[in-house]
Amino acid sequence: MARYDYDLFVIGAGSGGVRAARLAAELGASVGIAEEYRIGGTCVIRGCVPKKLLVYGSAYSSDFADARGYGWTCEDLRVDWPVLIHNVRREVDRLNGVYTRTLEKCGVARYLTRAALAGPHEITLADRDGTLSAKTILVATGAHPVFPAVKGREHLISSNECFELEQLPGSIVIIGAGYIGMEFASIFNGLGVAVTVLHRGEQILRDFDMDLRDGLAAAMRDRGVDLRMSTEIASIEKEKDGYRVHLDRGGSVLADLVMAATGRAPNSSGFGLEQLGVERGANGRIVVDEFSKSSVDNIYAVGDVTERRHLTPVAIHEATAFAETVFGGRPTPVDHSFIPTAVFSQPEIGTVGLAEETARAILAEIDIYKARFRPLKSMVSGRDEKMLMKLVIDAKSDRVLGCHVLGPDAAEIAQMAAVALKLGVTKAQLDSTMALHPTVAEELVTMRHKWEPPQAVEGSDAAA
Ligand SMILES: Cc1cc2nc3c(=O)[nH]c(=O)nc-3n(C[C@H](O)[C@H](O)[C@H](O)COP(=O)(O)OP(=O)(O)OC[C@H]3O[C@@H](n4cnc5c(N)ncnc54)[C@H](O)[C@@H]3O)c2cc1C
């Protein structure tokens, strides 16, 4: 008789949990999984996917504006939010079904309830008595939004609630200027909502390359987003006509809604990890080794609940490596280098590798190549927004360490650049690559002049 009910029990059916459960089952393990909300997790239900659909939906306003230069008449334009959000939710429901059926097909037992650990091998479920047992436990519980500790914080919504809005607000204040704040600022702005962003830092998007940060901030301001930096909030008050956000240096902003985009904390407490002595870092994230094993031998963790990069493909990679290691007999560490990242703002950011500032801090000598130019499409549409392409090179080895793009299709470009950077591409190899013309991406293989601080390369015509 089997000693345990399951070879593997996964807590959390998000990006990491579903992938690990499926692969372990395909490798012959008996697997159970618990999910307290909806199968699919943050990415599918209230993160990447519905957000990107809203990005598409909101981008039509600028597409229609651009279309006029191309001869189109675009009059009486307005967005029907109930239609948009209904269609987004329908796609989320479809994906929720796809994920559920995937688990079903692999024979993974699903428990749609909250799980907790009663021992290193024992799981309790909120909707029933007794315990289940498993040889290996995988914690893939993700993270949740955190709100600033100010008076009136109960009036705040997070990105989660944005997907539940039945009506579009006339105005919104977004607190925080990380990637989620910038994406939702662009979404609401594109849909015609008056957006004010309040951020305590000096510039948006901490940790990104400074040219991207400055470039996006300028472009968003030009598109009408009121970005206020170095601004702390003091309190939030409900009034007859909305919510008043009081600023700590005086003054206030009134809006129909106030959204906090002030970071996410791991779901790592309140379900038994503390009692079992699973080590967590200062920020509560589970400490794991290169194989995602925690300080307790049979307990592993992947995704946002751990202290690594918090992105869907990273959670999926970690889960894949975990299943290969534990159930496939192939110890597989996760390589976290050169992870491409996007900010699906308008305009968009796509980036991979080191920011110029980081490279300068760790390398003796670096070369920078930059191009700022108006894409061909804008010449006729009349859009006055500059695209930015930037390469960070290790001067000694000629290796490309960072590639940063701001403008249309930046994320798609960064994904392909990531392959080259991961393979160790040098600047000389980029230079020897034939350009694909006319594209914006061709700029990455046609930049010939090093950027010198006082003489920025302004304008560039790859075809000239
Ligand atoms: C608004 C937003 C936009 C994002 N956009 C992007 C993007 O464009 N690209 C990208 O790569 N990443 C994006 N992310 C990040 C991405 O969603 C996460 O990195 C990814 O979902 C992490 O996967 P995970 O498996 O670690 O956790 P999750 O997907 O969060 O899954 C964890 C699951 O565990 C469940 N759970 C928690 N505790 C318990 C318990 N005790 N019992 C049972 N179930 C439990 C939760 O309900 C949840 O479903 C975005 C995130 C947000 C919030």
Side-chain angles (χ1 to χ4, degrees), residues 66 69-70 373-387 408 440:
D66 289 349
Y70 284 89
F373 57 99
R374 278 177 80 196
L376 179 62
K377 186 179 172 193
S378 303
M379 300 304 175
V380 171
S381 72
R383 182 167 293 281
D384 193 24
E385 219 163 58
K386 291 249 169 67
M387 178 125 197
V440 288

Side-chain angles (χ1 to χ4, degrees), residues 117-139:
L117 292 171
H121 296 279
E122 283 78 45
I123 306 108
T124 58
L125 298 172
D127 68 351
R128 68 198 72 191
D129 294 332
T131 57
L132 293 170
S133 63
K135 184 163 184 232
T136 301
I137 308 274
L138 178 69
V139 181

Side-chain angles (χ1 to χ4, degrees), residues 258-322:
V258 188
M259 170 186 170
T262 41
R264 293 173 64 80
N267 296 324
S268 63
S269 58
F271 63 100
L273 295 178
E274 305 90 329
Q275 291 81 346
L276 295 177
V278 172
E279 189 186 343
R280 292 171 306 152
N283 50 17
R285 299 202 186 258
I286 298 175
V287 176
V288 290
D289 68 11
E290 59 183 333
F291 300 106
S292 298
K293 188 196 277 194
S294 78
S295 57
V296 174
D297 217 35
N298 70 309
I299 300 181
Y300 290 72
V302 294
D304 284 10
V305 74
T306 65
E307 180 60 86
R308 296 179 285 190
R309 292 292 298 277
H310 302 135
L311 293 166
T312 290
V314 178
I316 289 175
H317 233 86
E318 291 166 358
T320 306
F322 156 79

Side-chain angles (χ1 to χ4, degrees), residues 38 44-45 88-98:
R38 293 183 73 189
V44 171
I45 308 295
V88 169
R89 287 179 194 149
R90 194 180 52 195
E91 174 58 11
V92 167
D93 291 345
R94 190 187 71 79
L95 288 171
N96 171 244
V98 169

Side-chain angles (χ1 to χ4, degrees), residues 356 360 368-370 372 449-457:
E356 177 180 341
R360 282 202 191 286
I368 300 294
Y369 290 79
K370 276 192 224 186
R372 272 201 192 89
H449 303 290
K450 276 182 213 167
W451 179 76
E452 302 295 341
Q455 303 152 347
V457 179

Side-chain angles (χ1 to χ4, degrees), residues 156 187 237:
L156 291 167
I187 289 169
E237 203 180 353

Side-chain angles (χ1 to χ4, degrees), residues 9-18 33-52 111-117 124-125 139-145 159-160 163 179-180 183-184 259 264 267-271 302-306 309-316 318-319 340-344:
F9 197 90
V10 181
I11 306 182
S15 304
V18 168
I33 192 167
E35 171 53 55
E36 67 175 345
Y37 183 54
R38 293 183 73 189
I39 287 178
T42 304
C43 172
V44 171
I45 308 295
R46 45 195 183 185
C48 332
V49 172
K51 174 214 58 197
K52 186 88 189 268
Y111 298 93
L112 295 180
T113 184
R114 184 170 171 80
L117 292 171
T124 58
L125 298 172
V139 181
T141 45
H144 61 275
S159 56
N160 288 348
F163 303 111
Y179 83 94
I180 292 177
E183 290 177 339
F184 278 89
M259 170 186 170
R264 293 173 64 80
N267 296 324
S268 63
S269 58
F271 63 100
V302 294
D304 284 10
V305 74
T306 65
R309 292 292 298 277
H310 302 135
L311 293 166
T312 290
V314 178
I316 289 175
E318 291 166 358
T341 310
V343 181
F344 293 105

